[in-house]
Amino acid sequence: MSYLDRIINFEGVGTLLQLPFVQNALLAAAILGLIAGLLAPLIVARGMAFAVHGTSELAFTGGAAALLLGIDVSSGAIGGAVAASLLFGMLGKRQRERDSVIGVVLAFGLGLGVLMLALYEGRSANRFGLLTGSIVSIDSTNLLVLAVTAALVIGTLCVTYRPLLFSSADPSVAAAHGVPVRVLGPVFAVLIGLTTALAVPVVGAILVLAVLVTPGAAAAQVTSSPFKATMMAILIAEAGLVGGTLLSLGPGLPVSGYATTVIFLAYVGCRLVARFRRRMSSDA
């Protein structure tokens, strides 16, 4: 059997779709795609891609600690991600300081997480899942945590979306108009932390950027409308996560590789569309 046949294989997918754990996986992917698509354009507009990466590493550290202590990994990942986002907000209030603070904390958290994984004596698949994801291991308890956290993120966005959008476009003008920019920064950082923690069990700590940044970056290539960019980011995130899950079922390989490939191809497609538009406008 060739590598292509191993990667693309739909044998037995119909049977797998009837299994409860596969249905849980698809539902988890759909929920994550929705909130990732909602946040991605704001993350890109606020220049917080590196913050997402740093938060994902601390979510990995929290998950590793939970694994070592024998408690729920999702709860540990959420705790680590929220702690990271609050720490970044407190230590890096100035824009020019933020990246260096994130780099310092990221390195410490990653090293600590690797140490805890080395001390863990359980199944090696559990360690591997923290790095690359294992969406099919999501059970009803994990799904409940995912749904509750997603509802919290979406509810907060409903209240703060307009001021967040205003402060993302021009923080100085937003502050002059009475928008609580200093408060919104940490609030948005916590939303990123929660969503990052949700993404770790699905695509792993290493590839969270693909879910939370690339859909927003792709949408920004083809539209400047916040509404259209958000809708497009949601579609790309859903296609990557749900489509990637379906593609991974037959081969039995980690969903992360499929999800990130679909999302990356969408980004390349959006860049080609943007390039074509620029060429057409210059020729007109």
Side-chain angles (χ1 to χ4, degrees), residues 144-279:
L144 178 61
V145 173
L146 181 67
V148 170
T149 309
L152 179 62
V153 171
I154 293 171
T156 306
L157 272 181
C158 288
V159 176
T160 62
Y161 184 79
R162 288 180 66 86
L164 271 173
L165 188 62
F166 190 10
S167 62
S168 300
D170 195 327
S172 300
V173 175
H177 281 75
V179 176
V181 176
R182 291 182 178 274
V183 175
L184 287 174
V187 168
F188 187 66
V190 170
L191 294 184
I192 291 176
L194 290 172
T195 309
T196 300
L198 299 181
V200 167
V202 179
V203 296
I206 298 174
L207 300 173
V208 166
L209 280 174
V211 175
L212 288 180
V213 177
T214 310
Q221 296 293 320
V222 294
T223 181
S224 58
S225 165
F227 176 76
K228 291 180 180 179
T230 301
M231 292 299 103
M232 185 174 294
I234 291 173
L235 287 175
I236 293 171
E238 293 285 7
L241 289 166
V242 178
T245 302
L246 291 171
L247 288 171
S248 71
L249 290 176
L253 296 172
V255 66
S256 52
Y258 294 92
T260 52
T261 299
V262 171
I263 294 172
F264 176 73
L265 290 176
Y267 175 76
V268 172
C270 289
R271 285 196 68 93
L272 291 175
V273 169
R275 184 176 180 180
F276 177 75
R277 285 181 177 177
R278 288 194 297 269
R279 183 174 296 178

Side-chain angles (χ1 to χ4, degrees), residues 37-183:
L38 288 170
L39 287 177
L42 289 170
I43 291 171
V44 172
R46 298 173 74 89
M48 297 185 69
F50 190 47
V52 171
H53 180 56
T55 305
S56 70
E57 301 300 346
L58 270 295
F60 158 74
T61 304
L67 204 59
L68 184 62
L69 295 173
I71 60 178
D72 181 55
V73 174
S74 296
S75 300
I78 289 173
V82 171
S85 59
L86 290 173
L87 189 61
F88 295 156
M90 289 187 295
L91 297 181
K93 292 182 179 179
R94 296 181 182 179
Q95 181 73 27
R96 64 176 180 269
E97 293 179 350
R98 190 169 62 195
D99 283 354
S100 59
V101 168
I102 292 171
V104 170
V105 177
L106 183 156
F108 168 70
L110 186 58
L112 193 60
V114 170
L115 175 62
M116 286 187 284
L117 281 190
L119 294 173
Y120 176 67
E121 298 179 351
R123 294 170 53 202
S124 59
N126 292 336
R127 308 180 196 181
F128 189 66
L130 277 176
L131 295 172
T132 62
S134 180
I135 193 171
V136 293
S137 66
I138 293 177
D139 57 20
S140 57
T141 303
N142 300 132
L143 200 58
L144 178 61
V145 173
L146 181 67
V148 170
T149 309
L152 179 62
V153 171
I154 293 171
T156 306
L157 272 181
C158 288
V159 176
T160 62
Y161 184 79
R162 288 180 66 86
L164 271 173
L165 188 62
F166 190 10
S167 62
S168 300
D170 195 327
S172 300
V173 175
H177 281 75
V179 176
V181 176
R182 291 182 178 274
V183 175

